[in-house]
Amino acid sequence: MADSTALPTLLKALRLPTMAEQWETLQGEALQANWGFSDYLAALCEQELAERESRRLDRHLKQSQLPLGKTLRAFDFEACPNLNPATLGQLAGDVGWVERAENLLIFGPSGVGKTHLAAAIGHGLIDKGKRVYFTPTTALVQQLQTAKRELRLPEALAKLDKYHLLILDDIGYVKKSEGETSVLFELIAHRYETGSLLITSNHPFSQWDAIFADEMMTVAAIDRVVHHATIIEIQAESYRKRTSMQRRAAMT
Ligand code: ADP
Ligand code: MG
């Protein structure tokens, strides 16, 4: 007969911290409600799994650097009549496109919700178990440039492989200078058909030659990005402007 006083130690050794914490409380409930042994064990296992899942979500959310609160639920689709909520719902809730390493491009003028929607899709995919990393494109480009100078660009690119989706916010803010552009191109080439990119931009493709060093690189980058991609164009008034005007109107 095993010794139940050893249970906390045994459970910890098996890396089951929630079971170690809950077994006694749940035993009380089980006795009261007359559960069978296997029901009790199943309930304990369920608690361990639920706790593990919630820790995983927390960890992935933190690592993603996604802006908090920017969810689809918080998005007012009435302000963007040309957007189909179902399309966005599918991109946020259906992991198929990410598993196929497809890309998503969100274009539109400033303040119309590009970053918000990109983040909302990221949140949705994390909930579905995918790994996501959100970054202003300029910040990532700077990191990659440093890595390149230190001759560790391949490692830096490989480190991003663990993310199923990389959100490059505001690609148009990257301005061409030899170094910058080539690391951005190398990133795009590296992700091609192996990992998804979600890119937001104020500028349509016609102005991407301001980002990349020369026309050939611009064409090659666009080619790879759009090969398997969904493109969403937001036509709306700036939400920032709209809300500040509404506030002003309410005050007068
Ligand atoms: P963009 O990236 O296109 O410049 P943002 O996504 O940063 O725009 O949006 C600007 C601000 O307005 C953010 O605080 C965002 O949450 C909010 N916003 C924009 N569009 C909407 C919308 N349709 N519904 C709710 N909030 C919105
Ligand atoms: Mg933005």
Side-chain angles (χ1 to χ4, degrees):
M1 179 84 173
D3 174 9
S4 70
T5 56
L7 248 185
T9 322
L10 291 171
L11 290 169
K12 270 183 203 141
L14 288 166
R15 297 188 201 295
L16 300 165
T18 306
M19 285 172 80
E21 211 173 274
Q22 297 297 328
W23 72 273
E24 216 165 358
T25 319
L26 204 66
Q27 177 175 254
E29 274 179 51
L31 286 172
Q32 253 188 1
N34 242 336
W35 291 355
F37 292 122
S38 53
D39 294 332
Y40 168 65
L41 185 59
L44 257 189
C45 291
E46 266 174 18
Q47 286 196 1
E48 181 69 46
L49 265 185
E51 191 50 38
R52 213 174 262 190
E53 172 66 8
S54 117
R55 277 199 306 269
R56 188 193 63 75
L57 269 180
D58 285 350
R59 200 171 56 242
H60 289 180
L61 196 59
K62 206 159 158 210
Q63 284 174 349
S64 74
Q65 301 199 31
L66 279 167
L68 297 176
K70 305 294 178 190
T71 59
L72 280 189
R73 201 192 291 254
F75 194 81
D76 170 15
F77 279 95
E78 275 175 23
C80 299
N82 84 310
L83 282 184
N84 182 350
T87 309
L88 272 304
Q90 188 148 18
L91 288 163
D94 180 350
V95 296
W97 67 280
V98 166
E99 281 172 353
R100 293 188 296 274
E102 292 170 7
N103 298 325
L104 174 63
L105 294 135
I106 303 181
F107 291 149
S110 183
V112 294
K114 299 182 298 296
T115 301
H116 187 133
L117 284 175
I121 289 168
H123 282 294
L125 293 172
I126 286 184
D127 285 345
K128 295 274 167 178
K130 293 293 166 196
R131 305 287 303 273
V132 175
Y133 186 68
F134 175 98
T135 176
T137 315
T138 47
L140 185 63
V141 162
Q142 270 174 21
Q143 277 176 33
L144 294 177
Q145 260 183 303
T146 308
K148 186 169 184 169
R149 269 197 305 274
E150 293 168 358
L151 305 178
R152 47 175 189 81
L153 183 61
E155 292 91 320
L157 292 175
K159 233 175 142 181
L160 296 168
D161 288 347
K162 72 171 176 221
Y163 298 107
H164 303 100
L165 176 68
L166 200 56
I167 303 179
L168 303 180
D169 197 30
D170 279 321
I171 199 173
Y173 289 180
V174 177
K175 286 293 162 259
K176 72 169 129 196
S177 78
E178 261 310 318
E180 285 209 358
T181 311
S182 74
V183 291
L184 185 56
F185 179 76
E186 280 173 76
L187 172 67
I188 289 170
H190 181 83
R191 298 284 297 187
Y192 179 60
E193 293 190 327
T194 65
S196 293
L197 290 173
L198 193 172
I199 297 175
T200 75
S201 178
N202 288 346
H203 307 296
F205 293 121
S206 60
Q207 288 171 38
W208 280 28
D209 55 0
I211 303 172
F212 295 97
D214 55 45
E215 200 189 319
M216 230 166 67
M217 199 186 266
T218 309
V219 170
I222 294 175
D223 237 33
R224 281 168 180 75
V225 167
V226 301
H227 186 193
H228 311 282
T230 304
I231 299 176
I232 291 177
E233 284 191 69
I234 309 180
Q235 289 147 12
E237 204 194 325
S238 163
Y239 200 81
R240 261 185 229 117
K241 205 161 102 194
R242 189 180 136 130
T243 44
S244 72
M245 270 171 17
Q246 276 167 355
R247 259 199 310 273
R248 220 167 303 155
M251 282 191 301
T252 53

